[in-house]
Amino acid sequence: MKRFTTIIVGAGFAGIVAANRLSERGENILLIEQRPHIGGNSYDCYDDHDILIHLYGPHILHTKSARVWDYLSKYTAWRQYDHHVQAHIDGIDAPLPFNLNTIEALLPSALASRLVDKIIATYGYGARVPILKMKEQDDRDIKFLADFVYEKVFLHYTIKQWGIKPDEIDPSVTARVPVLISRDDRYFQDPFQGIPKHGYTRMFERMLDRRNIHVLLNTDYKEIIKSFKYDRLIYTGPIDYYFDYKHGKLPYRSLRFDFETLDIKRFQSVAVVNYPNDHAYTRITEFKHFSGQEHKKTTILREFPEDYEPGRNVPSYAVHNPQSLAILNRYKEEIDSLSNVVFLGRLAEYRYYNMDEVAEKALVTCDGFK
């Protein structure tokens, strides 16, 4: 029976970073992935027209962590890329996050000028103000702006994304919707931003290109795990699946991806355009903005939110509500009784991580092993 120091279940961002980090310490790693490819939802590939696409929707690496940036930079060169997003509102494509330029694009000039002056005077240039905070103001103009942003940018997009009614939206989610008191149209303001020059998959391949990392694709770990001996298991799959759903299935939202290749060089002016109020899809992504690829055609992606159904789509976003959190707590109690099993990542922890956050969590977790 073959022995490994660590078996890692799931070859997404969390599993790959953990495999790489532990292999640097000389551990013998087996990485098991159920899908036919590495990279999880960050996987990219060339489509039938030789255009580089992100198969599970757009992924942009942005971080405040020099540690994460420097670590990943060992395995990729970067294409400098500042992410720009627009929202299609009342027939106009305007910048997101909502900022001073957005106000001027969507509202009559006299009203826009008055609002811009007032919010700069109230909050200061460069501030990032949550909608609920803005709603607390007594000033009628500022309340109007807060209601406008909530209605036009947040409300209907959230209903589509999460499949819920307006009165079911958690106020804590609303609080995260910002208005930027600036003219910085970048979607992210982190100091480190970019796209792997040759794609995420190539970066992951280089991270796994070590003699003491062994990868099995198209494999359900439960079918083979008893064939090996190991000192530690790092599990990055769905927490409820690990326990055979004994306390119930946890709900997720997923996405249906509709790719289309067009006989034009450029479809839209930025990589991502959101559609909060029109159409069944939430956004359109055009991938050549990410890669800078020269091609006479272009591939776009429309995303249609839907509920997760095992075997039909992939779990994308954990649905936190009183019922799901009660189920999660029962699984967490089960975890407390386990030894030498670590639950790591979005699915295993039933929470949202940005790519840099899950990379940092994986590094910290592995560095904490004795």
Side-chain angles (χ1 to χ4, degrees):
M1 184 177 288
K2 192 165 185 179
R3 184 179 189 88
F4 294 93
T5 314
T6 300
I7 290 181
I8 300 173
V9 176
F13 228 115
I16 290 173
V17 171
N20 175 270
R21 193 63 160 184
L22 294 176
S23 73
E24 291 179 337
R25 295 173 26 157
E27 293 196 13
N28 192 28
I29 308 297
L30 175 62
L31 182 61
I32 307 172
E33 170 57 49
Q34 194 167 26
R35 297 190 224 184
H37 60 74
I38 62 172
N41 289 355
S42 302
Y43 172 74
D44 57 13
C45 61
Y46 287 90
D47 66 12
D48 292 339
H49 302 275
D50 292 324
I51 297 173
L52 185 62
I53 62 171
H54 299 181
L55 195 62
Y56 302 96
H59 286 74
I60 300 94
L61 200 292
H62 59 97
T63 185
K64 296 179 176 64
S65 171
R67 181 192 188 195
V68 169
W69 184 262
D70 291 344
Y71 167 74
L72 295 175
S73 295
K74 295 187 296 183
Y75 304 100
T76 185
W78 297 97
R79 179 174 185 266
Q80 179 60 44
Y81 172 79
D82 290 321
H83 191 40
H84 292 270
V85 175
Q86 294 178 346
H88 188 76
I89 298 171
D90 296 338
I92 298 171
D93 290 342
L96 284 182
F98 202 99
N99 61 44
L100 303 182
N101 296 331
T102 319
I103 295 173
E104 294 173 347
L106 295 176
L107 297 173
S109 58
L111 175 59
S113 179
R114 186 169 78 244
L115 290 173
V116 166
D117 290 344
K118 190 164 286 188
I119 61 176
I120 290 175
T122 303
Y123 300 107
Y125 190 86
R128 187 181 183 98
V129 187
I131 291 299
L132 291 187
K133 186 73 173 176
M134 191 168 280
K135 279 177 171 287
E136 294 173 0
Q137 285 289 332
D138 293 330
D139 185 274
R140 185 171 62 182
D141 285 339
I142 295 180
K143 281 189 175 180
F144 163 81
L145 180 61
D147 290 340
F148 182 86
V149 175
Y150 180 82
E151 173 73 24
K152 298 291 187 177
V153 176
F154 171 76
L155 178 61
H156 303 291
Y157 188 96
T158 302
I159 292 170
K160 284 195 287 186
Q161 182 74 6
W162 293 99
I164 57 178
K165 299 175 183 177
D167 58 2
E168 296 174 328
I169 298 173
D170 191 321
S172 67
V173 176
T174 313
R176 294 195 294 269
V177 181
V179 173
L180 271 61
I181 317 301
S182 78
R183 297 189 181 278
D184 187 347
D185 280 343
R186 295 177 303 162
Y187 196 73
F188 306 115
Q189 282 75 44
D190 295 332
F192 304 102
Q193 301 185 44
I195 302 286
K197 187 173 182 179
H198 302 291
Y200 287 97
T201 300
R202 181 62 186 131
M203 179 182 74
F204 293 139
E205 288 172 346
R206 295 187 67 186
M207 293 171 72
L208 296 176
D209 186 19
R210 301 179 67 90
R211 287 185 298 175
N212 53 343
I213 298 178
H214 311 271
V215 180
L216 288 177
L217 301 177
N218 289 305
T219 303
D220 185 333
Y221 85 100
K222 289 186 177 182
E223 297 176 357
I224 64 167
I225 192 71
K226 293 181 180 178
S227 302
F228 306 103
K229 291 183 178 180
Y230 53 93
D231 299 325
R232 179 193 304 117
L233 177 70
I234 297 178
Y235 181 77
T236 73
I239 184 174
D240 50 359
Y241 179 68
Y242 180 90
F243 293 105
D244 297 316
Y245 308 113
K246 65 187 295 185
H247 299 300
K249 292 184 178 181
L250 289 166
Y252 292 88
R253 287 291 279 175
S254 185
L255 297 165
R256 176 169 64 84
F257 300 111
D258 182 9
F259 290 90
E260 183 180 6
T261 299
L262 306 170
D263 287 321
I264 54 177
K265 285 190 174 182
R266 184 72 77 213
F267 176 76
Q268 57 195 28
S269 61
V270 295
V272 175
V273 177
N274 286 5
Y275 289 82
N277 308 308
D278 305 303
H279 308 291
Y281 49 83
T282 51
R283 61 183 178 179
I284 297 178
T285 299
E286 184 177 19
F287 294 99
K288 284 166 60 178
H289 290 277
F290 297 142
S291 65
Q293 186 177 359
E294 293 293 335
H295 198 290
K296 65 181 180 180
K297 297 184 178 184
T298 191
T299 297
I300 63 172
L301 166 64
R302 295 178 179 89
E303 295 181 31
F304 296 82
E306 60 186 15
D307 287 333
Y308 167 60
E309 296 179 14
R312 188 176 70 85
N313 50 24
V314 297
S316 298
Y317 306 103
V319 178
H320 284 181
N321 56 41
Q323 295 75 29
S324 65
L325 293 178
I327 294 172
L328 177 63
N329 286 334
R330 287 196 285 272
Y331 286 125
K332 285 183 175 180
E333 291 173 0
E334 298 274 358
I335 291 174
D336 291 340
S337 66
L338 300 176
S339 60
N340 298 324
V341 181
V342 177
F343 287 72
L344 175 66
R346 277 192 186 192
L347 300 179
E349 299 179 59
Y350 199 64
R351 56 159 293 181
Y352 185 83
Y353 278 111
N354 288 324
M355 289 186 291
D356 68 313
E357 293 170 333
V358 79
E360 180 116 48
K361 180 66 179 294
L363 291 173
V364 170
T365 298
C366 292
D367 289 349
F369 293 146
K370 295 180 180 180

